[in-house]
Amino acid sequence: VVLKKMLDPAFQQPKATARRRVVLVVAVVTLLTCFALLAGVLLGPFGSCPVPPSSTVSSVKKVNVTLYGESLCPDCRHMVLEVIAPMLEKGLGDVMSLRYVAYGNVRSGKADGEGSQGIKCQHGAQECLMNKYINCAQVDGVGNSDAAVWFPYVTCLADDLAPLRSPGEYGNRARECATQSGLSASRLKKCAEGSQGEALERQAGEETDGLVPGHSFVPWMLVNGAAVGSDYDNLDRFVCVGSGSGGAMPAACSELRSSLMHQ
């Protein structure tokens, strides 16, 4: 309408005042500005779709998983070799903060050289020693607190400790597993057989004895501080639920073992 008015011959005649022309020019500029602003709102800059900010992308939560066990326990070895190891192989280690508190079903009363602090390990003196090796392997500067580093060492021990008998055989196996796992055998030995190993043993005992509810068997598993009891074989399900609640669920959680497919 404004443009039509400006093109009208009557408007272009000399009698049209400068004031009328100024008013119409201002009106045209105002309309064009409004159209430009409206296009920017509807289409965004340059008519493109805006990219969502990176802060809107969900991140996967780390799940705190703690294994309370003992080095020579058959069920603990099963937990290490047949439950946790396959989980790490499938990539679930990326969403787990894993610890192994090696102490287990310890009783008071030092006997036959067992334990270093008046304790008796369930499977004998060598179990007390190997528990210390496991605890030491998770200490930075001796081993490594990253499960991707220390867990292969524990897996190696769990795979081959059962048939051993003499202290020398256990010591040799601890050294061999350290070499295979890229850890320092000398640092591990110094820790496990020295005062640092005793301190870690005491710390593991205090943590184990302070569990609420108290453990009634091993392996005893906590997921984000909650005990899973006898359902430890389904640890992957607990981890998947815990990690998926705050972000994208790991791809491995899309898989379901055949044993869980039917009632």
Side-chain angles (χ1 to χ4, degrees):
V1 175
V2 175
L3 293 175
K4 183 177 180 181
K5 183 72 175 178
M6 293 180 67
L7 296 174
D8 188 352
F11 178 81
Q12 299 177 19
Q13 292 178 0
K15 66 178 181 180
T17 65
R19 184 170 177 272
R20 291 172 59 189
R21 294 190 180 192
V22 169
V23 170
L24 289 174
V25 169
V26 170
V28 171
V29 171
T30 301
L31 287 174
L32 292 176
T33 303
C34 290
F35 287 141
L37 291 174
L38 181 60
V41 170
L42 295 178
L43 300 178
F46 307 104
S48 62
C49 296
V51 178
S54 58
S55 59
T56 62
V57 179
S58 299
S59 58
V60 178
K61 289 176 61 177
K62 282 274 188 178
V63 180
N64 294 316
V65 177
T66 307
L67 162 60
Y68 294 85
E70 49 197 31
S71 57
L72 301 186
C73 165
D75 287 335
C76 296
R77 294 174 59 241
H78 159 75
M79 192 73 209
V80 168
L81 297 172
E82 300 175 25
V83 179
I84 298 178
M87 290 174 61
L88 298 184
E89 291 172 0
K90 293 179 179 179
L92 286 175
D94 294 339
V95 297
M96 291 171 56
S97 178
L98 178 64
R99 297 172 57 234
Y100 187 165
V101 180
Y103 189 76
N105 300 325
V106 168
R107 293 178 292 168
S108 299
K110 191 172 180 179
D112 300 327
E114 294 189 37
S116 57
Q117 304 178 79
I119 63 173
K120 185 174 183 179
C121 292
Q122 184 174 10
H123 298 93
Q126 296 309 311
E127 180 169 73
C128 287
L129 176 60
M130 301 317 294
N131 285 346
K132 293 178 187 177
Y133 270 99
I134 291 174
N135 292 328
C136 286
Q138 300 169 70
V139 176
D140 288 324
V142 177
N144 194 304
S145 59
D146 184 354
V149 180
W150 66 259
F151 191 78
Y153 175 72
V154 173
T155 301
C156 179
L157 293 179
D159 193 33
D160 291 311
L161 283 182
L164 305 182
R165 293 292 179 266
S166 70
E169 288 180 308
Y170 283 101
N172 290 338
R173 192 59 195 152
R175 182 176 62 255
E176 292 168 0
C177 287
T179 301
Q180 292 180 17
S181 306
L183 299 178
S184 170
S186 60
R187 285 200 296 265
L188 282 172
K189 178 179 175 65
K190 181 179 179 180
C191 173
E193 299 183 11
S195 59
Q196 187 175 10
E198 293 180 3
L200 291 172
E201 180 181 64
R202 182 165 54 251
Q203 179 181 329
E206 292 172 354
E207 184 173 342
T208 301
D209 293 340
L211 287 170
V212 178
H215 79 286
S216 53
F217 55 82
V218 290
W220 190 257
M221 300 298 306
L222 294 189
V223 178
N224 283 343
V228 304
S230 59
D231 203 18
Y232 54 76
D233 275 341
N234 291 320
L235 179 63
D236 59 338
R237 299 295 95 192
F238 290 98
V239 170
C240 286
V241 171
S243 65
S245 61
M249 193 173 291
C253 294
S254 301
E255 302 174 5
L256 192 63
R257 297 189 306 278
S258 59
S259 60
L260 298 176
M261 295 290 286
H262 307 284
Q263 292 184 338

